[in-house]
């Protein structure tokens, strides 16, 4: 196990104990020697962790300590890099630029060994297929979701029928070939999914819709789960 991973695991283990825990028990939990445990506790203390106790007395972590952002495990760092590379390759211009900037900012505060892992990371994202007609409106859709604002637009459905819609957008799904706006549709009085490339005449009303997006998302997810459960029951 990498040392950074071990430090994180020690921190998480200490948080599980509400009373002082002996070094021998911690060493057993982490499958390390007592000498390694003492060294890792010293490292955490040097980074500001308020760990009370001494050998033979037990150790206890006082609440409120957070590791600095530079302390990522190897798996966390790989997940972070893979995710940001996907966004950089498939997000709209502003989102792709933000992903690249985020990696650069994180890399700047990492210690040299972890920074080298970013530069040498071998998890790659395949070429993105061109998705036409999205770049201009995706940023506006994201902002409307973030601000919980009502949108109006024309929508062309799969049968070629065009209709005017007024919606409460609360999520935006990113797929390889399409982007899908998830919203409560005032026109249909129900949840609806809208392909971004079929939206036209987009108008930002500047009006905040009457419900919170978290509540809408929760209700939508419950509907999706119920639908999946019913489909599974029908097929059994």
């Amino acid at each position: 196990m990498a040392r950074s991973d071990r430090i994180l695991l020690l921190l998480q283990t200490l948080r599980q104990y509400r009373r002082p825990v002996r070094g021998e028990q911690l060493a057993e939990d982490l499958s390390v020697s007592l000498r390694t445990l003492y060294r890792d506790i010293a490292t955490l203390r040097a980074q500001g962790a308020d760990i009370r106790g001494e050998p033979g007395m037990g150790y206890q972590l006082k609440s409120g300590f957070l590791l600095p952002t530079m302390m990522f495990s190897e798996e966390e760092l790989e997940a972070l890099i893979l995710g940001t590379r996907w966004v950089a390759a498939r997000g709209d211009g502003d989102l792709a630029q933000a992903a690249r900037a985020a990696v650069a900012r994180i890399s700047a505060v990492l210690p040299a060994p972890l920074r080298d892992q970013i530069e040498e990371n071998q998890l790659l994202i395949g070429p993105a297929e061109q998705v036409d007609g999205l770049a201009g409106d995706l940023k506006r859709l994201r902002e409307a979701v973030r601000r919980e604002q009502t949108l109006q637009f024309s929508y062309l459905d799969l049968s070629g029928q065009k209709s005017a819609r007024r919606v409460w957008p609360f999520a935006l799904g990113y797929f390889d070939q399409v982007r899908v706006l998830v919203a409560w549709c005032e026109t249909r009085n129900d949840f609806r999914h809208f392909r971004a490339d079929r939206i036209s005449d987009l108008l930002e009303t500047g009006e905040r819709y009457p419900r919170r997006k978290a509540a809408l998302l929760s209700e939508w997810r419950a509907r999706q789960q119920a639908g999946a459960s019913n489909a599974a029951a029908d097929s059994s």
Side-chain angles (χ1 to χ4, degrees), residues 12-113:
Q12 294 164 0
T13 302
L14 281 167
R15 283 179 171 149
Q16 295 174 4
Y17 288 97
R18 298 190 177 276
R19 297 178 181 276
V21 54
R22 291 177 61 84
E24 291 82 358
Q25 181 62 55
L26 286 171
E28 182 179 342
D29 291 345
L30 300 171
S31 299
V32 298
S33 67
L34 266 177
R35 182 178 179 180
T36 297
L37 175 73
Y38 294 151
R39 186 168 62 246
D40 290 347
I41 286 176
T43 297
L44 280 174
R45 282 173 167 168
Q47 295 186 14
D50 186 4
I51 300 176
R52 308 286 177 85
E54 298 294 340
M57 298 175 54
Y59 296 94
Q60 185 175 21
L61 174 69
K62 294 299 181 180
S63 61
F65 173 69
L66 296 174
L67 279 172
T69 54
M70 66 179 183
M71 294 301 296
F72 290 104
S73 71
E74 291 181 346
E75 291 288 335
E76 289 170 340
L77 198 58
E78 287 185 342
L80 176 66
I81 298 307
L82 191 62
T84 50
R85 284 178 176 172
W86 192 97
V87 174
R90 289 168 169 76
D92 59 84
D94 288 342
L95 205 59
Q97 183 177 353
R100 290 188 288 268
V103 172
R105 182 175 299 184
I106 292 169
S107 180
V109 299
L110 288 173

Side-chain angles (χ1 to χ4, degrees), residues 191-209:
F191 292 110
R192 287 292 187 269
H193 304 133
F194 302 97
R195 279 180 45 169
D197 59 330
R198 293 178 173 272
I199 292 174
S200 61
D201 306 319
L202 180 63
L203 174 64
E204 297 142 304
T205 67
E207 301 172 5
R208 185 162 182 161
Y209 49 75

Side-chain angles (χ1 to χ4, degrees), residues 123-234:
L123 298 181
L124 306 176
I125 296 295
E129 294 187 21
Q130 183 64 35
V131 183
D132 297 326
L134 296 181
D137 286 344
L138 277 178
K139 180 179 179 180
R140 298 167 68 191
L141 295 178
R142 286 193 289 105
E143 289 177 346
V145 170
R146 186 185 310 128
R147 297 171 183 170
E148 303 182 349
Q149 291 187 343
T150 302
L151 292 174
Q152 294 179 189
F153 52 76
S154 297
Y155 189 68
L156 186 67
D157 64 22
L158 292 176
S159 64
Q161 298 296 314
K162 200 169 189 178
S163 59
R165 302 298 182 102
R166 181 180 172 92
V167 305
W168 306 347
F170 59 86
L172 188 60
Y174 283 74
F175 301 86
D176 277 342
Q177 297 182 5
V178 296
R179 311 293 182 258
V180 177
L181 181 70
V182 186
W184 176 267
C185 180
E186 291 185 4
T187 310
R188 298 292 187 261
N189 195 35
D190 202 353
F191 292 110
R192 287 292 187 269
H193 304 133
F194 302 97
R195 279 180 45 169
D197 59 330
R198 293 178 173 272
I199 292 174
S200 61
D201 306 319
L202 180 63
L203 174 64
E204 297 142 304
T205 67
E207 301 172 5
R208 185 162 182 161
Y209 49 75
R211 296 185 62 189
R212 298 308 304 267
K213 63 183 175 184
L216 289 168
L217 183 61
S218 178
E219 184 178 343
W220 173 79
R221 282 175 170 163
R223 292 262 199 104
Q224 298 299 302
Q225 292 173 356
S229 297
N230 291 337
D234 290 342

